[in-house]
């Protein structure tokens, strides 16, 4: 009997190794991992072709909408909020289309919310204690401090909470919450895969 194929969404606290874990899972499962490609695909849909990736990420992370008149997306310095809302909607559409193409993994981008109506999605939230994150900040994230990583988490939480109406990191919205500091990431990936196969059949 052929094994069922599922779509994974991974949300994570900064400094927990969520991206590394996602890459390991993608390799073990033999599926594609979508991360920042989603931002570029969404920008292309909106006709935004004159911004660098850093500018697109800044645009994406701004969540205070403006109630003023419409200003073109490329004028994002003046209408960042409206552009951010457009990016969120475009990213959600991109995620749903990619999910229709077959099994894959989405990292961040509120994919768990965008795909909430599908029954073949398994959503994971990756966390870790501050000691683990602080150590990775020094050794993996080019000397980032815990305070800097917490600020990034605040941005992620604000963005997620604003656009989904849910609380970022609330275990009730995920199928599995994983503490990345408890075992090697490859071992955690094996545990996740075994758990999904047990639960999803």
């Amino acid at each position: 009997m052929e094994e069922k194929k599922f779509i994974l969404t991974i949300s994570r606290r900064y400094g927990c190794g969520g991206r590394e874990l996602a890459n390991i899972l993608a390799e073990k499962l033999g599926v594609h991992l979508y991360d920042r490609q989603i931002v570029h695909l969404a920008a292309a849909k909106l006709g935004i072709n004159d911004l660098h990736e850093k500018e697109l990420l800044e645009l994406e992370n701004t969540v205070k909408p403006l109630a003023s008149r419409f200003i073109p997306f490329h004028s994002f310095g003046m209408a960042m909020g409206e552009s951010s809302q457009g990016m969120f909607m475009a990213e959600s559409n991109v995620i749903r289309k990619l999910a229709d193409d077959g099994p894959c993994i989405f990292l961040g981008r509120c994919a768990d919310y965008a795909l909430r109506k599908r029954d073949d999605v398994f959503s994971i939230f990756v966390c870790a204690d501050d000691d683990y994150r602080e150590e990775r900040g020094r050794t993996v994230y080019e000397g980032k401090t815990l305070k800097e990583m917490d600020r990034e988490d605040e941005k992620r939480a604000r963005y997620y909470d604003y656009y989904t109406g849910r609380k970022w990191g609330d275990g009730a919205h995920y199928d599995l919450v994983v503490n990345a500091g408890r075992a090697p990431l490859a071992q955690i990936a094996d545990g996740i895969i075994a758990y999904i196969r047990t639960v999803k059949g």
Side-chain angles (χ1 to χ4, degrees), residues 63-143:
V63 298
K64 185 178 179 182
L66 301 180
S68 60
R69 62 181 175 79
F70 172 78
I71 301 175
F73 285 109
H74 62 268
S75 302
F76 77 97
M78 296 178 64
M80 185 77 87
E82 290 180 21
S83 300
S84 175
Q85 186 172 28
M87 280 292 287
F88 171 77
M89 295 172 67
E91 286 182 7
S92 295
N93 288 332
V94 166
I95 288 167
R96 286 190 284 267
K97 186 177 186 309
L98 291 171
D100 285 340
D101 291 339
C104 57
I105 297 175
F106 294 102
L107 184 63
R109 315 261 113 69
C110 302
D112 59 298
Y113 182 78
L115 301 175
R116 66 194 182 283
K117 295 182 180 179
R118 297 180 63 116
D119 59 9
D120 59 348
V121 175
F122 193 91
S123 297
I124 300 166
F125 188 84
V126 183
C127 62
D129 62 43
D130 286 347
D131 289 341
Y132 179 82
R133 294 172 61 231
E134 194 167 31
E135 176 62 24
R136 283 184 63 87
R138 285 194 297 267
T139 60
V140 180
Y141 296 93
E142 301 178 344

Side-chain angles (χ1 to χ4, degrees), residues 37-54:
Q37 306 98 310
I38 297 168
V39 181
H40 293 281
L41 290 169
K45 274 182 167 291
L46 295 172
I48 302 174
N49 51 25
D50 57 348
L51 299 182
H52 297 295
E53 183 175 278
K54 183 178 179 181

